Amino acid sequence: MTNLIETNFGYTDGDVDTNQSTGPTLNQLADERFSRRSMLRGSSAIVAATMGGSVLAACDSNADFNDDAAPTVSAGAAATTSSGRMVTLTGTASDDGSVGAVAWTQIGTPAVTLTGTGNTVTFLAPSVAQATTLTFQFAAADNGGHTSTATTTVTVNPATLGFAAVAKNKLDVVTVPAGYTVQIGARLGDPISPNTPAFKNDGTDTDFGQRIGDHGDAMRWFGLSATGTRDETSSKRGLIVQNHENINQQYLHPTGATNTGGVRPESEAQKEIDCHGVSVIEYAEGTNRAWAYVPASTFNRRITPSTPMVFNGPAKGSDFLKTPFSTDGTKGRGTINNCANGATPWGTNLTCEENWAGYFRRSGDDAARTAKDLTTLARYGVRTAGNYGWSTVVPADPANTLFRRWDARATGASATDDFRNEPNQFGWVVEIDPYSATSTPRKRTALGRLGHEGCWPGAFVVGKKPAFYMGDDAVNEYLYKFVSNTAWVDADATAADRLAIGDKYLDAGTLYVAKFNADGTGKWLPLVYGTAPLDGSNAAYPFASQVDILVNTRLAADAVGATKMDRPEWTAVNPANGDVYLTLTNNSTRTPANTDAANPRSYQDLPNPNIENRNGHIVRLGEKDKSTEATDFTWDIYLFAAGSDLDATNVNLSSLTADNDLSSPDGLSFARTTHAGGLVKPIAWLQTDDSAFTDVTNCMMLAAMPGTVGDGGARTVTNTATGGATFTQATRVGAAPGANLKRFLVGPVQCEITGVDSTPDGRTLFVGIQHPGESATDPTRPTSHWPDSQTTATPGATVRPRSAIAIITKNDGGVVGL
């Protein structure tokens, strides 16, 4: 604009600019009120969009505002919430004319993301360690350009469990708290390739190498970007890697499994074999938070007991691993009975081979075995006819050894003439790259051979050697730790060749086994060859090398005097403090006379007449100096599983109530550190595999927010034997969980709840529902109809149950559990 003033005389209608001052226009005033840094939308642009361009044109030319009053606004009352919960802000604005632009902004930190437009916006309460007040401003402008603001506060408290406990029940559905929704993910038999036909679920389906397997177990989410690359932050698209532990054999065939003269049909056995292993499946969130797996994804993959594998680490190429298939002992076929898991920061999945020994046939060949052979075969339980009789199959192709390999009898001249060494090819931790569908999984022999339940890592600290914690799932087995020889380097988390990074950290290190002392301390005992008893002088089993120790790890643990535990299952590490948790499901051989401080209970839980540790417990340990490299630790028992009606002095030592009593803890996983549920006081998801409590309820999942090792104290338990003799046992008991433990979910009939993970934002939870209706003997008369029973009020009486993933979301969009 120029400063020229008109000199013509006569009437004007006001179209003469006589105000040569530099005062601001409404747009400039709006820019000051609604700064670009804090507005939900840009300042003048908001006014233009909500009040209309014509008004802004008049304002820019400084039209007469008359005597218009500013709007009257309210930002609502102050509120209080907790981390991870969804908060709604609602402002109101009124004016003697009309309200144009309204906007919410945050004043101060910690910053949150406001979602929505207009008077109402929402945000997810951030993670805080102490009560923190957030301030928000609501602003409005009228059509005359006047603006008004009001503020409100929201006080955010640390995260707490934010749901009402689910009651125990025996319904044939997944029951979750009010305010939550259950969707069904991939199910047994669902096709994972575009050319595989839909699943009929009548026992006639085939091609399970291209279908979801049975008995879904541990799982892990691996994020994908929109372009299909690795993205650990993605909560909308990703891969779920899930184990498939076992099978409900009866439902896989039209009328159940068959045999002719003790010989299994090849087609039936192939189907059963392929239902085991691991699946890698893409999932995506659609509109309205609807989740589905992607059947035609190029990432989809089944890893079965027949998939080619390679061995890595010290045992690779050893005589222990030589078979007719791999005469040099470097290759293997498949993985089986995969139960719990682990995950690495470089983006790979660790799957664990658990109760693999029972699949093998072996008897009548003692004369062809050495004394050491017989010792190790007995110690690992390779002495049956084989769970499913796969070794009896006479294949159409005589060169096909995929069935004969399950016959572990020594019938030939050497180990390369028969499959006597095939059991040695199982019992390992297997590393899988989920992002590469063509990669070959690697069996990591440095971590030892046992009934691996899980392999969860401790904290990865730059310059410190990482550790992996492992349970051996059988009664009176042990807790192990593997410490890498290589200190952690942060750059390895984003390396392109993920399995090569696994080589770096998992192929060389020290394997330890735990000894729990009565005073609440403990020691990691190294399983290293060369010093008695881990050498040739050991009478029970003379060790010949470090490879001998790794192949026969149980025998090495026996030799050094490790503590026998009540069926060690899943391991988990609290990301907030590094405490290591181990679920101990139960022990039918624990008597009042053979308890110890770490396994202190033996009792009767009617209607079972036996005296044993029927309900299990959870032990936890704190490494010295919180270091993964430590060889000393302290410990206590975080939780004693029990019915709330059992003896509070000697059985229900954790003071459980109807809201949180349980039996047989099994699955255990802490929430991710990428959301409020995994920070400050992280949620631990606790799952049950139960036979003791099933007269009252189906299996369940609970949410816990544990404290730390040592938050309780010493306790003496009195155990009473048959006949009335009593035995006292000192132990260490953690603080009673109280309201920090609640039942979140109850599963359908005859299921196990096993496997859990969330998206990185914590707003979607994936839960494994395994073997519903497992007790039926007649597949045409199933004892459960889940998951059809979840979505159909009256499923058909012959609809067969299927293992599947339950997908759980909170209706208001908050973090699940908070």
Side-chain angles (χ1 to χ4, degrees):
M1 176 183 292
T2 69
N3 290 322
L4 176 65
I5 299 176
E6 291 284 341
T7 56
N8 297 333
F9 296 98
Y11 176 82
T12 93
D13 61 1
D15 190 23
V16 176
D17 184 3
T18 62
N19 185 352
Q20 301 302 306
S21 71
T22 58
T25 67
L26 175 58
N27 271 346
Q28 291 168 324
L29 288 169
D31 282 339
E32 294 176 10
R33 280 289 191 193
F34 307 97
S35 75
R36 295 181 188 274
R37 294 179 63 190
S38 60
M39 285 292 293
L40 276 169
R41 299 173 292 171
S43 54
S44 298
I46 295 176
V47 178
T50 60
M51 299 180 67
S54 61
V55 175
L56 286 175
C59 295
D60 278 336
S61 59
N62 297 303
D64 187 0
F65 291 175
N66 299 317
D67 293 324
D68 187 22
T72 299
V73 299
S74 170
T80 301
T81 190
S82 297
S83 297
R85 298 185 186 176
M86 194 63 70
V87 179
T88 300
L89 301 174
T90 301
T92 60
S94 60
D95 189 65
D96 54 359
S98 61
V99 176
V102 297
W104 279 99
T105 61
Q106 183 182 2
I107 301 172
T109 57
V112 300
T113 300
L114 297 175
T115 302
T117 59
N119 293 50
T120 300
V121 295
T122 61
F123 69 91
L124 194 64
S127 178
V128 297
Q130 59 188 8
T132 302
T133 299
L134 310 182
T135 303
F136 300 90
Q137 177 178 277
F138 180 68
D142 65 14
N143 60 356
H146 297 92
T147 61
S148 297
T149 64
T151 60
T152 191
T153 60
V154 177
T155 300
V156 181
N157 290 315
T160 60
L161 299 178
F163 59 91
V166 171
K168 298 185 288 288
N169 68 74
K170 300 185 73 173
L171 302 175
D172 197 25
V173 295
V174 172
T175 309
V176 293
Y180 286 85
T181 294
V182 177
Q183 302 176 59
I184 304 301
R187 306 157 295 179
L188 163 69
D190 279 343
I192 66 168
S193 64
N195 297 322
T196 303
F199 190 61
K200 296 189 290 295
N201 196 26
D202 60 2
T204 63
D205 299 281
T206 59
D207 194 19
F208 275 86
Q210 293 298 314
R211 299 183 184 276
I212 298 294
D214 205 354
H215 281 215
D217 210 301
M219 68 182 78
R220 185 72 175 174
W221 169 273
F222 292 86
L224 284 172
S225 69
T227 58
T229 59
R230 179 187 173 198
D231 180 359
E232 294 290 343
T233 68
S234 173
S235 293
K236 298 289 187 180
R237 181 189 182 196
L239 307 173
I240 290 182
V241 181
Q242 185 181 31
N243 291 339
H244 298 288
E245 181 184 14
N246 208 329
I247 58 174
N248 276 2
Q249 187 187 37
Q250 71 275 36
Y251 295 128
L252 294 178
H253 312 295
T255 58
T258 65
N259 70 81
T260 301
V263 176
R264 292 294 314 281
E266 181 175 3
S267 60
E268 288 186 5
Q270 188 64 63
K271 184 187 304 189
E272 293 167 11
I273 291 170
D274 288 343
C275 277
H276 289 73
V278 181
S279 62
V280 181
I281 306 297
E282 182 177 344
Y283 277 76
E285 184 184 39
T287 58
N288 298 319
R289 304 216 63 206
W291 281 91
Y293 86 102
V294 184
S297 171
T298 56
F299 289 99
N300 290 350
R301 181 184 188 186
R302 280 298 318 284
I303 298 168
T304 75
S306 305
T307 301
M309 306 263 165
V310 295
F311 285 92
N312 270 56
K316 178 179 180 178
S318 70
D319 288 344
F320 290 102
L321 298 179
K322 293 178 179 178
T323 69
F325 174 78
S326 179
T327 56
D328 63 357
T330 63
K331 296 179 296 181
R333 287 180 291 186
T335 185
I336 202 165
N337 208 257
N338 305 82
C339 195
N341 65 349
T344 71
W346 54 90
T348 61
N349 185 82
L350 304 176
T351 185
C352 300
E353 299 174 338
E354 188 197 28
N355 294 313
W356 46 269
Y359 292 90
F360 290 96
R361 175 187 184 186
R362 197 205 74 80
S363 61
D365 67 339
D366 287 4
R369 297 285 194 167
T370 67
K372 286 183 66 173
D373 284 346
L374 295 175
T375 298
T376 190
L377 289 165
R379 184 64 180 85
Y380 280 88
V382 184
R383 54 190 176 197
T384 71
N387 290 352
Y388 300 111
W390 297 336
S391 68
T392 67
V393 170
V394 179
D397 178 3
N400 180 0
T401 61
L402 288 171
F403 304 103
R404 186 162 63 90
R405 65 190 288 221
W406 303 105
D407 185 344
R409 293 176 296 176
T411 58
S414 71
T416 58
D417 297 310
D418 55 43
F419 286 93
R420 69 183 72 181
N421 278 349
E422 193 72 11
N424 294 341
Q425 294 223 341
F426 294 91
W428 305 103
V429 173
V430 185
E431 187 176 19
I432 298 167
D433 183 352
Y435 295 103
S436 175
T438 59
S439 60
T440 301
R442 301 183 185 181
K443 296 200 173 189
R444 302 295 184 184
T445 64
L447 280 67
R449 174 175 162 269
L450 39 115
H452 276 288
E453 176 70 33
C455 183
W456 203 259
F460 285 82
V461 178
V462 172
K464 293 288 186 180
K465 299 172 183 177
F468 297 79
Y469 300 90
M470 304 169 287
D472 184 353
D473 183 12
V475 296
N476 302 314
E477 292 299 344
Y478 307 116
L479 171 65
Y480 297 86
K481 175 172 83 166
F482 172 79
V483 179
S484 176
N485 276 354
T486 304
W488 176 243
V489 176
D490 258 352
D492 288 339
T494 55
D497 190 341
R498 288 172 285 272
L499 290 175
I501 301 301
D503 297 347
K504 178 177 178 179
Y505 291 102
L506 296 174
D507 282 348
T510 302
L511 184 62
Y512 297 88
V513 67
K515 183 176 180 63
F516 293 80
N517 299 322
D519 63 357
T521 66
K523 193 79 173 176
W524 290 110
L525 307 175
L527 301 180
V528 177
Y529 176 76
T531 302
L534 299 182
D535 60 12
S537 67
N538 184 37
Y541 184 89
F543 293 97
S545 65
Q546 184 63 29
V547 171
D548 202 352
I549 288 173
L550 295 175
V551 174
N552 296 292
T553 306
R554 284 180 172 176
L555 290 165
D558 292 344
V560 298
T563 302
K564 295 179 179 180
M565 307 298 286
D566 286 349
R567 194 177 162 198
E569 297 244 22
W570 290 48
T571 53
V573 177
N574 187 327
N577 57 31
D579 288 350
V580 181
Y581 286 69
L582 172 68
T583 55
L584 299 164
T585 298
N586 48 48
N587 190 346
S588 60
T589 71
R590 186 67 66 184
T591 69
N594 72 3
T595 61
D596 57 52
N599 305 274
R601 294 185 305 170
S602 181
Y603 52 93
Q604 188 178 65
D605 183 5
L606 295 173
N608 187 322
N610 299 328
I611 296 175
E612 58 189 61
N613 182 9
R614 181 109 171 107
N615 296 295
H617 56 288
I618 301 175
V619 69
R620 64 184 170 186
L621 57 91
E623 298 276 31
K624 184 178 180 180
D625 300 325
K626 299 186 181 299
S627 172
T628 51
E629 299 177 357
T631 55
D632 296 283
F633 59 86
T634 57
W635 66 270
D636 68 8
I637 294 176
Y638 160 63
L639 182 70
F640 288 91
S644 58
D645 60 334
L646 296 181
D647 175 14
T649 302
N650 298 302
V651 182
N652 185 13
L653 300 175
S654 296
S655 302
L656 302 183
T657 69
D659 285 344
N660 57 21
D661 53 351
L662 72 150
S663 177
S664 303
D666 189 343
L668 179 63
S669 182
F670 278 91
R672 290 171 174 257
T673 59
T674 48
H675 61 81
L679 299 166
V680 183
K681 197 171 184 179
I683 295 175
W685 295 106
L686 171 60
Q687 303 172 312
T688 67
D689 178 12
D690 176 31
S691 60
F693 216 16
T694 49
D695 57 328
V696 175
T697 182
N698 299 336
C699 284
M700 63 186 70
M701 184 172 78
L702 302 93
M705 300 184 89
T708 60
V709 173
D711 61 11
R715 188 84 171 259
T716 298
V717 178
T718 300
N719 297 304
T720 303
T722 302
T726 60
F727 299 80
T728 59
Q729 177 62 63
T731 189
R732 316 289 296 186
V733 181
N740 284 321
L741 176 67
K742 292 183 183 181
R743 189 177 303 105
F744 178 81
L745 174 154
V746 177
V749 172
Q750 295 170 4
C751 81
E752 174 186 346
I753 309 297
T754 181
V756 60
D757 195 16
S758 77
T759 50
D761 62 10
R763 297 171 64 242
T764 303
L765 193 71
F766 304 95
V767 180
I769 309 297
Q770 185 185 101
H771 64 63
E774 69 170 341
S775 296
T777 56
D778 181 351
T780 67
R781 301 176 63 186
T783 49
S784 168
H785 304 295
W786 195 85
D788 284 50
S789 56
Q790 191 81 35
T791 57
T792 305
T794 55
T798 60
V799 172
R800 302 181 182 205
R802 302 159 72 179
S803 295
I805 293 177
I807 304 173
I808 301 168
T809 53
K810 196 173 183 181
N811 296 347
D812 67 4
V815 173
V816 175
L818 299 183

